[in-house]
Amino acid sequence: MREPSSQIVEQWMELQLLFKAHPPNLVLEYLDFRGGRNAKLTPELLAGYLDMTFEQASYMREEHASVVQGLPDYPQKAFAGRGIAMIGGGRYSEFLATTLGMIRLIGSRLPVEVWMKDRSEEKAAWCDDLLTQGAVCRFISDYIADMSVFTHYYQLKLPVLLFSTFAEILYLDSDSMPVVNPDAVFDAPLYIATGAVLWPDFWRSSESPYTPFITGRDSVKATAVPGFQTVEAGQMLWNKEKHWKGLCLSAYYNYFGPDYFYTLFTQGTHGWGDKDTFPTALRALGANWTLVAHHPQAQKYNDGTGTGHGLEIVRGTGAAMMQADPAHGEEFRSLFLHSGAVKLSPRRMLCTECVEDASALSAQERLEGKRVVFKGSFVDEWSGIHPQMRDGKRVFATKVEDELNDMGKLDTEKDIWRVMERVACVGAFNEEEICNRTRTHLEKAFGEVTRWHGGSEGRCR
């Protein structure tokens, strides 16, 4: 795979100068939404959250307009092809290893870029392991000299999207995995028509009434509750040529996200972070984009009443979130499983007492030689999946499933555990005891084991 273009390095430096010339004029302190995060949204509650005057909002409206005016054009020849971009580093690399394994197991041939903040976040020998799976490591710090602005993990998504070498990107969070081959999603009519596809979250927007005024969507402060859904940005389809300025405006929102825009867009309810910077930028520019029509579905925990091998989705909260394939019109067909509540990593699930890898520690912890130990769901009684790990049961509820993938009948959870056996037994994350426990769980819960071959490091007990 090609290296990120020097054009983008230069353009990022220009964007930084633009952003620094038009900073927010106050810090918006994060506070829980009045009435609680799940309170019914009313115009009065939304208007009363921020301590912001009309004069302050008017100043920011002018700054925002100046940024929009200065956004650069798409850099021709800087990008090429289609591919998947993901963010790993530290403990997120464990989740990403499972997701990448699923991407390959279900038949995807798309090239993959795995990004990390800097080289301190790389697990030893993992980048070499990734090359064998059609993936390559990238480090944001190789292309951005001053990393001090990135104080929060949420901010890292934007440099990944900007610097990725792909012209058309399927972005995936480390814990958002396809359950069927995603390659054809680039040919979905909705994507071809608009060039940007985003997936909805569970919640309605709680943005500040000043948001449409500041971002230029309206000439006055809003007086009604927003009528649109928030976005769940664990997976995104983005055509850079069609929506380059939208991406750059999202970068502005994330550059000043923790101290201003994240709170402006959510006001202390659900979803503080990068996720609503993307649709807000597209709306501000009047861009044509797609929000998948199907609402996300919750994946139910296994309570012992499953009837098959397919995943059972339910209304409400659950073990994970299922997102729909945009190519399937009125019918909800699962494309992604975003495992926010259950982190699909052999170590996180099966450790009794594991030492955190150095790549997952802070710079200060590494400097002090700190030894961080954690317990996995296998022994952690506070874990939501402790009974399933202890007893060798499925994590997710099941139903009779008619969907097919490239290998025949779908049994997503069994596929995930087959992948996790490879992660635990071969390559950079292999550990003998976790490998053995993973195989034992595969045998007890699913009646089979893959038996990958590889060395062991034996750091768990």
Side-chain angles (χ1 to χ4, degrees), residues 99-223:
T99 298
L100 178 59
M102 275 294 288
I103 288 169
R104 294 308 182 217
L105 185 68
I106 59 181
S108 174
R109 296 180 178 273
L110 289 169
V112 176
E113 291 180 344
V114 173
W115 287 81
M116 288 169 265
K117 185 176 181 179
D118 55 45
R119 294 179 186 274
S120 72
E121 294 193 335
E122 180 194 353
K123 164 77 173 174
W126 189 44
C127 288
D128 292 336
D129 192 21
L130 288 175
L131 290 173
T132 68
Q133 301 176 68
V136 63
C137 279
R138 307 274 194 220
F139 300 94
I140 298 171
S141 61
D142 285 355
Y143 309 100
I144 296 179
D146 180 11
M147 294 289 290
S148 62
V149 67
F150 300 110
T151 60
H152 201 287
Y153 184 78
Y154 288 132
Q155 295 174 280
L156 299 180
K157 194 174 296 184
L158 259 298
V160 169
L161 291 166
L162 287 169
F163 283 91
S164 170
T165 62
F166 306 126
E168 298 179 74
I169 296 176
L170 171 59
Y171 169 82
L172 295 175
D173 276 355
S174 61
D175 57 359
S176 183
M177 65 179 63
V179 297
V180 293
N181 191 330
D183 294 10
V185 75
F186 285 103
D187 299 317
L190 290 173
Y191 171 70
I192 292 173
T194 66
V197 176
L198 304 179
W199 277 259
D201 211 329
F202 289 116
W203 306 286
R204 304 288 284 180
S205 173
S206 59
E207 69 176 15
S208 166
Y210 279 123
T211 298
F213 176 70
I214 289 171
T215 60
R217 283 171 18 215
D218 207 336
S219 59
V220 295
K221 179 182 177 182
T223 58

Side-chain angles (χ1 to χ4, degrees), residues 313-330:
I313 54 179
V314 294
R315 290 284 182 182
T317 58
M321 176 189 295
M322 306 300 297
Q323 292 284 12
D325 188 336
H328 282 280
E330 297 180 1

Side-chain angles (χ1 to χ4, degrees), residues 288-301:
N288 188 22
W289 61 283
T290 297
L291 181 67
V292 173
H294 295 287
H295 283 225
Q297 303 295 309
Q299 169 56 47
K300 188 178 178 181
Y301 283 102

Side-chain angles (χ1 to χ4, degrees), residues 33-48:
F33 190 68
R34 293 183 178 94
R37 296 176 74 193
N38 294 313
K40 182 179 179 180
L41 301 179
T42 66
E44 293 75 22
L45 281 175
L46 291 175

